[in-house]
Amino acid sequence: MPRERGQKVVATNRKARHDYLIEDTYEAGLVLLGTEVKSLREGRASLVDGYAFIDGGEMWLDAVHIPEYTEGTWNNHAPRRKRKLLLHKQEIIKISHRISQGGYTLIPLSIYFSDGRAKVELAIAKGKKEYDKRQALREKQDKREADRAMSTHRRLGE
């Protein structure tokens, strides 16, 4: 059977970029059970409440919902269990120093398959205040209106 090539995104956390200011991103491997992989290949996962933490020199992903595999038997996985993340020790140390500065958290941005292996994109992020969120929305709307005005001006001519 030929190996998979390329990247297939399974789930993204779109709200994370709205709620957090993303400082840095990392790619980590996931330790999964067989039924979890099959469920992910069907494109079923939710990253909404997910977060990562470091415990005993190892990194863990928690509260990510991967639903039970429909064709699974009695040995199906628990949907919201802790899952181990695979990173180099130096990366874990670097991340732990950044998080210990205070105000930072580790959140998953997306789960995807890269060349057939399950990966998660993690972000070191700082929570936005309510007025920061409103300001970002206002800037986005202003940019959209300016682009629309320029497009109409270009289309109608001078």
Side-chain angles (χ1 to χ4, degrees):
M1 185 174 193
R3 248 185 106 186
E4 287 185 36
R5 292 277 168 213
Q7 198 170 15
K8 178 190 170 204
V9 177
V10 175
T12 57
N13 190 353
R14 295 186 305 173
K15 198 167 181 179
R17 297 197 187 273
H18 175 70
D19 291 340
Y20 296 96
L21 181 66
I22 307 298
E23 297 278 325
D24 203 3
T25 60
Y26 292 91
E27 179 184 66
L30 274 167
V31 177
L32 297 173
L33 299 174
T35 53
E36 289 176 319
V37 175
K38 291 177 180 184
S39 187
L40 282 177
R41 288 203 189 280
E42 290 180 346
R44 301 169 56 208
S46 174
L47 300 172
V48 176
D49 298 328
Y51 65 95
F53 63 94
I54 298 170
D55 183 32
E58 296 178 335
M59 188 158 311
W60 297 88
L61 184 65
D62 201 9
V64 171
H65 187 265
I66 299 176
E68 290 184 345
Y69 182 55
T70 54
E71 306 297 320
T73 58
W74 55 271
N75 60 353
N76 224 335
H77 65 276
R80 287 193 182 267
R81 70 177 189 91
K82 281 191 339 185
R83 294 167 180 94
K84 190 174 181 181
L85 295 175
L86 304 172
L87 284 164
H88 291 286
K89 193 170 213 71
Q90 293 83 9
E91 287 179 318
I92 293 174
I93 291 169
K94 184 177 176 183
I95 290 170
S96 69
H97 287 308
R98 290 282 301 274
I99 291 174
S100 65
Q101 290 176 359
Y104 290 100
T105 186
L106 268 173
I107 55 168
L109 295 178
S110 64
I111 291 180
Y112 55 93
F113 284 101
S114 178
D115 293 335
R117 298 176 193 265
K119 305 282 185 181
V120 63
E121 183 181 16
L122 290 173
I124 295 177
K126 188 172 230 168
K128 283 185 182 178
K129 304 282 188 229
E130 196 61 39
Y131 55 85
D132 289 336
K133 294 178 191 177
R134 284 195 299 266
Q135 181 67 26
L137 280 173
R138 193 173 303 118
E139 287 173 3
K140 191 174 178 182
Q141 284 178 335
D142 291 345
K143 184 181 182 318
R144 190 178 300 132
E145 288 174 7
D147 288 345
R148 192 175 293 134
M150 288 174 59
S151 169
T152 352
H153 180 70
R154 235 182 282 124
R155 198 174 10 164
L156 296 176
E158 303 210 13

Short mmCIF file of all heavy atoms in Angstrom, two decimals, residues 1 12 14 27 29 32-33 80 83 120 137:
data_model
loop_
_atom_site.label_atom_id
_atom_site.label_comp_id
_atom_site.label_asym_id
_atom_site.label_seq_id
_atom_site.Cartn_x
_atom_site.Cartn_y
_atom_site.Cartn_z
N MET A 1 0.85 -1.18 0.00
CA MET A 1 0.00 0.00 0.00
C MET A 1 0.89 1.25 0.00
O MET A 1 1.79 1.37 0.83
CB MET A 1 -0.88 -0.03 1.24
CG MET A 1 -1.88 1.06 1.29
SD MET A 1 -2.97 0.78 2.72
CE MET A 1 -4.21 1.92 2.33
N THR A 12 -9.60 22.52 12.94
CA THR A 12 -8.91 23.77 13.29
C THR A 12 -9.67 24.47 14.41
O THR A 12 -10.88 24.28 14.56
CB THR A 12 -8.83 24.73 12.08
OG1 THR A 12 -10.14 24.98 11.61
CG2 THR A 12 -7.97 24.17 10.98
N ARG A 14 -10.63 27.84 15.07
CA ARG A 14 -10.70 29.18 14.50
C ARG A 14 -10.88 30.25 15.56
O ARG A 14 -10.45 31.38 15.41
CB ARG A 14 -11.84 29.24 13.49
CG ARG A 14 -11.59 28.34 12.29
CD ARG A 14 -12.62 28.51 11.24
NE ARG A 14 -13.96 28.31 11.78
CZ ARG A 14 -15.07 28.52 11.11
NH1 ARG A 14 -15.01 28.94 9.87
NH2 ARG A 14 -16.24 28.30 11.67
N GLU A 27 5.03 22.34 16.04
CA GLU A 27 4.39 21.15 15.52
C GLU A 27 4.80 19.98 16.41
O GLU A 27 5.97 19.78 16.68
CB GLU A 27 4.83 20.88 14.08
CG GLU A 27 4.21 19.64 13.48
CD GLU A 27 4.74 19.34 12.10
OE1 GLU A 27 5.93 19.03 11.98
OE2 GLU A 27 3.94 19.43 11.15
N GLY A 29 3.93 15.71 17.45
CA GLY A 29 3.27 14.46 17.12
C GLY A 29 2.30 14.08 18.22
O GLY A 29 2.40 14.55 19.34
N LEU A 32 -1.66 8.26 19.73
CA LEU A 32 -3.09 7.96 19.63
C LEU A 32 -3.32 6.46 19.64
O LEU A 32 -2.44 5.68 19.31
CB LEU A 32 -3.65 8.53 18.32
CG LEU A 32 -3.60 10.04 18.14
CD1 LEU A 32 -4.02 10.41 16.74
CD2 LEU A 32 -4.46 10.74 19.16
N LEU A 33 -4.54 6.09 19.98
CA LEU A 33 -4.98 4.70 19.86
C LEU A 33 -5.51 4.48 18.45
O LEU A 33 -5.81 5.44 17.73
CB LEU A 33 -6.08 4.41 20.89
CG LEU A 33 -5.69 4.58 22.35
CD1 LEU A 33 -6.90 4.41 23.25
CD2 LEU A 33 -4.61 3.58 22.73
N ARG A 80 -12.53 12.27 25.55
CA ARG A 80 -11.78 13.43 26.06
C ARG A 80 -10.64 13.00 26.99
O ARG A 80 -10.48 13.55 28.07
CB ARG A 80 -12.70 14.37 26.82
CG ARG A 80 -13.61 15.15 25.93
CD ARG A 80 -14.25 16.27 26.73
NE ARG A 80 -15.17 17.01 25.92
CZ ARG A 80 -14.84 18.10 25.24
NH1 ARG A 80 -13.63 18.56 25.29
NH2 ARG A 80 -15.75 18.73 24.52
N ARG A 83 -3.80 13.06 26.03
CA ARG A 83 -2.99 12.44 24.99
C ARG A 83 -1.58 13.01 25.06
O ARG A 83 -1.40 14.22 25.18
CB ARG A 83 -3.59 12.71 23.62
CG ARG A 83 -4.94 12.02 23.47
CD ARG A 83 -5.71 12.51 22.27
NE ARG A 83 -6.98 11.82 22.19
CZ ARG A 83 -8.10 12.31 22.70
NH1 ARG A 83 -8.10 13.45 23.34
NH2 ARG A 83 -9.22 11.62 22.58
N VAL A 120 -0.22 17.87 15.66
CA VAL A 120 -1.01 18.97 16.20
C VAL A 120 -0.15 20.22 16.17
O VAL A 120 1.05 20.17 16.45
CB VAL A 120 -1.52 18.65 17.64
CG1 VAL A 120 -0.39 18.48 18.60
CG2 VAL A 120 -2.47 19.72 18.13
N LEU A 137 -11.75 43.27 15.54
CA LEU A 137 -12.92 43.19 14.66
C LEU A 137 -13.12 44.48 13.87
O LEU A 137 -13.44 44.46 12.68
CB LEU A 137 -14.18 42.89 15.47
CG LEU A 137 -14.38 41.44 15.87
CD1 LEU A 137 -15.58 41.31 16.81
CD2 LEU A 137 -14.59 40.59 14.65
#
